[in-house]
């Protein structure tokens, strides 16, 4: 296993212009394998990097597959959602441009290749008729070169817009920012050397994957598989995947792996690249894989931020509310600008949602409105009867509702003639931040003097509604 740390720069002085990745063997084994390998393979096998015309491959009426290699007589592939049965017949669909070529095949073998991050099956099939590569030559569209510096500028602009829309200082964490800066440093270093022109071209295509996704507001998690697929097509490899560092040590010897910079993860991840035997690697291949690991880190960082944003949407003045009706019903939603004098409450399904999602609820139907930190709350939380947070400002009060429920807290704005008043919880561990109590739902209000905070509550003022 060859391990390269994520931040190691591969330069022409450190790596020869061409590298061959081979397994160690004796001279007798080398001579034997040379003849046996030539005899055993009736057709030359091409990796995905040599199949520039290939858009994608899939099993007909089934899932997409990741192609390992392809020849006129058969193919090897991996899939995570389907296990081909030995001896069965299936149809491999190979797509180029807008056309698809179905090729009937028989399954020769299939085995479990990996368990992490999910079960992956590797299979080999023999085509029932030879596949004619010449037929596809007429539909091949050559890829247009992409300027990586321009794409990097677009990417930074997209990240800035994301940060502004979420009122955050940055769309990336410190780890994500460092990974992005490291990628740009590699691009700048490569631009000064003519020998790294292929690296520059491929970096432009990798960055365009990210800029296109962000500008189209796509889920950032979709960028990782696209980056992996692009690396697989750019480097002469059998397979490229992401696994955790513990699994990386189990990978075969003819593989290279790079650590993916991550933040807040106990077990770091690695970018694994498995190569065919006697594979000729150029220096820019390793540079591209190293930069790819950095972009995977940036994509995963954006995906984590996206998930957090979905779980905790930016409220921008909105509050999470749990509305309790007099008849016992509950409603959850978002509201703001609760004005007791209005006589009603506006509740929305989402912050800044459409007008048709807004519900106006008259106070006459309500018992209380709870301002909460989390809609789910903590079912195992037990209120502490002796809790009295010193930071809770106002007079200590006990409210008894008409249904018998009792609420203890502190209030600054109680008025007997008002439609309601706010109560702050005395328990600092409560999910409630404050409660608006409706006057029509109250049976009894009892105030306590300051000394009652450390002794049994003593009524100072008692008010019946």
């Amino acid at each position: 296993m060859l391990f390269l740390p994520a931040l190691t720069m591969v330069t022409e002085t450190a790596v020869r212009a061409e590298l061959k990745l081979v397994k160690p063997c004796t001279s007798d084994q080398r001579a034997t394998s040379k003849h046996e390998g030539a005899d055993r393979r009736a057709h030359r096998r091409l990796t995905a990097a040599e199949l520039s015309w290939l858009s994608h491959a899939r099993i007909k009426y089934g899932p997409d597959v990741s192609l390992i290699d392809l020849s006129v007589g058969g193919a090897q592939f991996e899939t995570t959602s389907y296990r081909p049965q030995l001896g069965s017949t299936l149809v491999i669909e190979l797509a180029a441009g807008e056309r698809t070529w179905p090729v009937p095949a028989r399954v020769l073998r299939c085995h479990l290749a990996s368990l992490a991050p999910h079960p992956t099956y590797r299979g080999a099939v023999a085509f029932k008729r030879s596949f004619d590569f010449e037929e596809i030559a007429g539909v091949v569209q050559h890829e247009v070169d992409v300027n990586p510096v321009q794409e990097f500028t677009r990417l930074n602009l997209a990240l800035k817009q994301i940060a502004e829309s979420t009122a955050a200082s940055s769309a990336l964490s410190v780890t994500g920012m460092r990974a992005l800066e490291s990628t740009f440093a590699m691009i700048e270093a490569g631009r000064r050397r003519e020998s790294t022109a292929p690296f520059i071209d491929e970096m432009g295509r990798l960055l365009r994957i990210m800029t296109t996704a962000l500008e189209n507001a796509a889920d950032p998690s979709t960028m990782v598989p696209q980056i992996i697929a692009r690396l697989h097509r750019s480097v002469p490899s059998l397979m490229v995947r992401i696994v955790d560092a513990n699994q990386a040590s189990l990978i075969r010897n003819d593989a290279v792996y790079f650590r993916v910079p991550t933040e807040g993860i106990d077990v770091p991840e690695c970018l694994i690249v498995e190569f065919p035997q006697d594979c000729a690697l150029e220096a820019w291949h390793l540079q591209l894989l190293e930069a790819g690991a950095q972009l995977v880190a940036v994509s995963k960082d954006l995906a984590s931020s996206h998930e957090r944003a979905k779980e905790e949407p930016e409220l921008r003045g909105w509050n999470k509310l749990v509305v309790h009706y007099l008849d016992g019903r509950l409603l959850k939603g978002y509201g703001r600008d609760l004005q007791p004098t209005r006589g009603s409450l506006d509740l929305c399904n989402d912050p800044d949602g459409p007008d048709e999602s807004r519900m106006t609820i008259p106070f006459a139907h309500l018992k209380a409105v709870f301002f909460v930190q989390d809609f789910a709350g903590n079912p195992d939380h037990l209120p502490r009867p002796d809790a009295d947070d010193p930071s809770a400002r106002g007079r200590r009060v006990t409210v008894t509702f008409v249904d018998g429920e009792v609420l203890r807290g502190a209030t600054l704005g109680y008025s007997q003639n008002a439609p309601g008043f706010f109560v702050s919880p005395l328990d600092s561990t409560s999910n409630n931040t404050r409660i608006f109590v409706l006057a029509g739902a109250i049976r009894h209000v009892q105030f306590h003097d300051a000394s009652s905070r450390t002794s049994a509550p003593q009524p100072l003022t008692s008010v019946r509604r």
Side-chain angles (χ1 to χ4, degrees), residues 151-391:
E151 293 302 318
F152 192 85
T153 302
R154 287 178 57 198
L155 179 59
N156 272 316
L157 179 60
L159 293 174
K160 181 180 179 181
Q161 291 173 342
I162 291 174
E164 290 175 350
S165 66
T166 58
S169 58
S170 174
L172 294 172
S173 68
V174 174
T175 300
M177 288 296 298
R178 288 175 180 170
L180 193 60
E181 291 168 359
S182 177
T183 303
F184 187 66
M186 295 178 71
I187 293 173
E188 285 293 286
R191 291 175 65 200
R192 294 191 288 268
R193 299 193 302 273
E194 185 177 348
S195 60
T196 55
F199 165 76
I200 295 300
D201 291 340
E202 290 300 329
M203 282 305 302
R205 297 185 181 103
L206 286 175
L207 289 171
R208 174 158 290 188
I209 289 173
M210 302 180 68
T211 54
T212 301
L214 295 181
E215 289 173 353
N216 293 333
D219 188 336
S221 63
T222 62
M223 294 190 294
V224 174
Q226 293 183 63
I227 291 172
I228 298 301
R230 184 70 235 179
L231 292 173
H232 185 34
R233 291 173 62 87
S234 305
V235 177
S237 55
L238 295 178
M239 190 50 54
V240 182
R241 66 166 65 94
I242 298 290
V243 301
D244 66 54
N246 293 335
Q247 291 290 324
S249 61
L250 305 178
I251 303 299
R252 298 162 40 147
N253 290 334
D254 45 353
V256 173
Y257 66 98
F258 301 81
R259 290 193 183 275
V260 176
T262 51
E263 184 176 78
I265 298 179
D266 294 334
V267 180
E269 294 181 311
C270 293
L271 176 72
I272 299 290
V273 189
E274 185 179 339
F275 298 95
Q277 293 185 14
D278 299 324
C279 171
L281 290 177
E282 297 184 27
W284 73 267
H285 289 145
L286 297 178
Q287 286 180 299
L288 183 67
L289 294 171
E290 182 181 346
Q294 302 291 332
L295 292 182
V296 167
V298 174
S299 301
K300 285 183 169 289
D301 195 39
L302 287 170
S304 297
S305 298
H306 183 70
E307 287 300 313
R308 289 193 297 270
K310 288 196 301 183
E311 294 173 0
E312 292 292 334
E314 179 61 40
L315 298 183
R316 296 182 298 278
W318 291 83
N319 300 293
K320 293 181 180 179
L321 305 179
V322 178
V323 178
H324 289 235
Y325 280 76
L326 286 168
D327 59 10
R329 289 179 295 154
L330 296 180
L331 273 183
K332 298 179 181 181
Y334 296 88
R336 61 180 176 184
D337 300 329
L338 192 156
Q339 298 292 334
T341 57
R342 281 188 56 193
S344 64
L345 165 72
D346 287 337
L347 192 69
C348 300
N349 292 330
D350 299 292
D352 298 319
D355 290 341
E356 54 267 25
S357 70
R358 182 183 302 127
M359 176 186 296
T360 300
I361 309 171
F363 284 162
H365 298 166
L366 301 182
K367 168 185 172 182
V369 179
F370 288 76
F371 292 69
V372 298
Q373 302 180 54
D374 184 359
F375 284 131
N378 182 7
D380 298 327
H381 177 265
L382 295 176
R384 294 163 45 201
D386 59 339
D388 192 345
D389 184 359
S391 64

